[in-house]
Amino acid sequence: MPRHDPCPRCHALPRRALLRAAAGAALGLSAGALGLPARALAAQAKAAEDEFFVFIHASGGWDVTLWADPRNEARGLVDPATTDNTDAAPLRLWVDAPGPGGARTFAPVRPQGSNLAFGPGIGALAALYDRLCIVNGLAMNTVSHPDGIAFATTGRHLSGGRTASSSLDAICASELGAGQTFPVVSVQFPSSFVGDRLDRRAAPLMVADIGTISRSLTRTKLYDTAEDRDAVTALLSEEARSLAARSSTTGTLDGFALQAEGLARMLKSGLQDVFSRGKLIQAHPEFNHTARFARQAAVNAAFALEAMRRNVVRCVSFSSTGFDTHTSNYRQHAATQQELFDLVAALVRSLDATPHPTKAGKKLSDHTHILVTSDFCRTPQINTAMGRDHYPNNSAAVISPRFRGNFSFGKTDPEQLLPAAAKTFQGGPRPIAPPDLLATFLFAFGIAPREHLRDGEVVPELLRSP
């Protein structure tokens, strides 16, 4: 239902800035509780307009005991990964330890100086422990793929089988990147754009393959030239700006101008290369483009890096597949994780080596924020088909200068691997849940969580001190 605005003039005020300043109070957590006065929170939101975001979804539900919450003992329902049920040969960080029934299990990975312990699936990301903020014991309250995906990315369960809220990537794009050439590009990611709260210019550009965009930008020279198209763009933009200047509601008409100008930027020579699969592979050999399951994700990571370097995108979202292992292909699950986390590590190192496009002297990694999630996790016990099924627990990883590094929050019980109370929230002690993580992520960038999320409380423990 459209919201009623009793005063048209108020609609033209910087409403988002006011909402951002009220973000903490709306969640029962004032900005002052984090040491941030309201005006500082508003300034933080303004500064966030130069930030970039990468959202990655591990499609199918991963086994958290192999990376974020290592379990190598047979306790309660836990059947740990062993040489009987896991192919350890591809795993660089598998170190044998005594296991049940004479099999060998793994020793948890504990990098020197790290507060974190990992399972062997963590791959190259273990070396970046000082950048990692791990959330364990995420209460999913579902074992359905569609519902888990929606809950992880929107903070809401499905309603009648339909997504009830916008996804995090669309929210960040609307609040911080609506004027960007591509506010959010979503490649096989569960993006959603729901209701009338978001700027429609930030609707996710959802594609199955990044090359689709390159093909759509191809223009024939048979009927017009680049000069002709530039002239039409100039005419349309001028007309829209002129009408906006005489209108009491300028937003829509300014949007027309931005869209026309945006198309012109998209068609400029060289931009199509950003969306060319072949050229992305050639330009970024640091990503594993021959991986078994993360091959497509490698291209998408290369796109994210290239598009951010050229400042034509605000958010990039993509999925990595191969995690729904109900049968004997569970033997490959740890190797699939290693592919994904190797990719994330390679992306972070490339961001370290790439200058920020608008902030002199800064690296992209200083202003890029990565969130990695999944549908839920796998059961702690091996099933009769030598796989693991769906389980209502989860973990997530954040790599962001605004989140604490070398830090783990949340926990599971010692025997059955179910979420345990992480802290006392407004309703009392309970586990952390996806809405809390999403609310904290939005708050970190000065975005009022309650404007977009029905549930969730900011968890200040996850954030770096201002």
Side-chain angles (χ1 to χ4, degrees), residues 92-170:
R92 300 187 305 275
L93 298 181
W94 181 284
V95 176
D96 270 352
R104 307 294 291 176
T105 186
F106 64 88
V109 179
R110 302 179 186 274
Q112 185 175 1
S114 172
N115 299 323
L116 308 173
F118 303 108
I122 191 67
L125 198 54
L128 299 176
Y129 67 86
D130 57 323
R131 317 275 279 273
L132 273 172
C133 183
I134 299 292
V135 180
N136 282 321
L138 272 171
M140 298 305 297
N141 304 313
T142 184
V143 289
S144 160
H145 283 302
D147 196 32
I149 291 168
F151 197 35
T153 56
T154 72
R156 292 279 299 275
H157 289 290
L158 295 177
S159 177
R162 302 180 65 180
T163 305
S165 184
S166 296
S167 53
L168 186 63
D169 57 341

Side-chain angles (χ1 to χ4, degrees), residues 71-416:
R71 301 297 178 99
N72 63 351
E73 298 180 31
R75 297 185 62 183
L77 299 180
V78 178
D79 291 328
T82 69
T83 50
D84 284 345
N85 59 42
T86 298
D87 182 3
L91 303 178
R92 300 187 305 275
L93 298 181
W94 181 284
V95 176
D96 270 352
R104 307 294 291 176
T105 186
F106 64 88
V109 179
R110 302 179 186 274
Q112 185 175 1
S114 172
N115 299 323
L116 308 173
F118 303 108
I122 191 67
L125 198 54
L128 299 176
Y129 67 86
D130 57 323
R131 317 275 279 273
L132 273 172
C133 183
I134 299 292
V135 180
N136 282 321
L138 272 171
M140 298 305 297
N141 304 313
T142 184
V143 289
S144 160
H145 283 302
D147 196 32
I149 291 168
F151 197 35
T153 56
T154 72
R156 292 279 299 275
H157 289 290
L158 295 177
S159 177
R162 302 180 65 180
T163 305
S165 184
S166 296
S167 53
L168 186 63
D169 57 341
I171 295 170
C172 290
S174 175
E175 292 284 350
L176 304 174
Q180 186 65 283
T181 305
F182 295 96
V184 54
V185 174
S186 173
V187 190
Q188 295 186 341
F189 184 88
S191 299
S192 56
F193 189 93
V194 178
D196 65 344
R197 292 182 179 274
L198 303 188
D199 191 316
R200 295 193 179 277
R201 292 172 295 170
L205 177 57
M206 302 175 67
V207 294
D209 182 271
I210 203 65
T212 302
I213 302 174
S214 178
R215 292 188 291 273
S216 70
L217 291 177
T218 301
R219 293 293 185 271
T220 178
K221 299 179 180 179
L222 184 60
Y223 302 107
D224 58 7
T225 65
E227 290 75 17
D228 295 333
R229 291 192 290 271
D230 287 344
V232 171
T233 294
L235 179 63
L236 292 175
S237 300
E238 181 181 355
E239 180 67 13
R241 300 287 189 199
S242 176
L243 291 172
R246 303 195 298 272
S247 174
S248 59
T249 55
T250 62
T252 300
L253 291 164
D254 281 335
F256 289 157
L258 284 171
Q259 285 185 326
E261 293 162 359
L263 178 61
R265 291 196 298 272
M266 293 180 205
L267 296 176
K268 291 293 184 183
S269 61
L271 185 55
Q272 280 181 272
D273 294 351
V274 179
F275 302 99
S276 167
R277 179 187 182 91
K279 291 187 177 180
L280 287 170
I281 291 173
Q282 183 179 8
H284 294 284
E286 68 268 30
F287 303 124
N288 183 5
H289 298 287
T290 62
R292 180 176 180 183
F293 289 105
R295 185 179 307 175
Q296 179 63 47
V299 174
N300 298 333
F303 162 72
L305 182 65
E306 198 63 28
M308 292 187 295
R309 182 181 72 82
R310 301 190 188 203
N311 197 30
V312 296
V313 72
R314 180 65 57 224
C315 306
V316 176
S317 310
F318 61 87
S319 294
S320 190
T321 61
F323 295 98
D324 196 18
T325 49
H326 290 274
T327 61
S328 58
N329 63 350
Y330 175 75
R331 290 183 173 278
Q332 298 295 324
H333 192 100
T336 305
Q337 287 190 4
Q338 183 175 261
E339 285 186 0
L340 171 60
F341 293 125
D342 282 354
L343 175 65
V344 175
L347 176 59
V348 173
R349 295 189 189 283
S350 292
L351 293 170
D352 283 341
T354 305
H356 192 283
T358 62
K359 289 183 171 290
K362 295 291 186 178
K363 303 174 294 185
L364 263 179
S365 58
D366 295 328
H367 297 276
T368 300
H369 314 275
I370 302 170
L371 173 63
V372 190
T373 59
S374 190
D375 316 20
F376 32 65
C377 78
R378 315 308 297 177
T379 53
Q381 69 271 34
I382 295 285
N383 63 26
T384 56
M386 290 296 290
R388 298 184 193 263
D389 301 312
H390 302 172
Y391 208 61
N393 175 39
N394 211 348
S395 295
V398 185
I399 302 175
S400 165
R402 302 200 181 189
F403 280 70
R404 294 175 66 180
N406 194 16
F407 182 71
S408 176
F409 182 86
K411 58 184 178 180
T412 50
D413 68 72
E415 293 188 350
Q416 293 190 347

